Amino acid sequence: MTYTSVLIIHLFCAIIFIGFVFADTVILPAMKKVLNEQEYQKIMQVISNRARKVFPFALLVLVITGGFMVSKFINSSLGYFSSNLQLLLMLKIFFALLIVCGVIYSLLMRILKKTPHPRMKHFHKFVLINGIFIIILAKLMFVV
């Protein structure tokens, strides 16, 4: 029952996390075409302020719950690369860590009040693509 509860929490956080990234990369840019620049910036400011509060928390819970669930399939007695499930899970972890590193970098730049690397303006697109890969891998792990 514990695993199932953690899985449900993990899925809700993934929906929040990827849902915001999807909205930010696909939905919100469409609003720019129908709103004037001032209205658009005001809406983006409100959404960004809320996202900065929810986004890191959702990611933290995703990492913690993901780590808990990984321990069921990868450990010293089961092995690390012994099955297709473990190989795909390790690949999934790799993609997730890329996202985590990017979020930590972004938060550090914000805290240090430094300008992030120009490539970071495309980070949400990168997260969305990685998120799609992670979702596909999550389903393939139990089929392959």
Side-chain angles (χ1 to χ4, degrees), residues 79-138:
Y80 300 94
F81 297 99
S82 305
S83 68
N84 288 337
L85 183 143
Q86 290 174 333
L87 291 171
L88 292 176
L89 183 54
M90 286 296 206
L91 189 57
K92 183 181 166 189
I93 291 167
F94 173 74
F95 285 129
L97 286 176
L98 289 176
I99 294 171
V100 169
C101 289
V103 170
I104 290 170
Y105 173 78
S106 294
L107 290 172
L108 272 174
M109 291 298 106
R110 183 171 297 282
I111 290 168
L112 298 174
K113 299 185 187 313
K114 292 188 175 185
T115 305
H117 193 279
R119 288 186 185 160
M120 288 303 284
K121 70 179 178 179
H122 302 290
F123 182 61
H124 281 181
K125 294 173 191 165
F126 173 78
V127 171
L128 183 60
I129 292 166
N130 269 359
I132 291 167
F133 284 137
I134 290 169
I135 291 166
I136 292 168
L137 287 170

Side-chain angles (χ1 to χ4, degrees), residues 5-22:
S5 301
V6 171
L7 176 62
I8 291 168
I9 293 167
H10 186 80
L11 291 173
F12 273 119
C13 287
I15 290 167
I16 292 167
F17 188 81
I18 296 298
F20 171 74
V21 173
F22 177 80

Side-chain angles (χ1 to χ4, degrees), residues 6 43 48:
V6 171
I43 290 170
S48 295

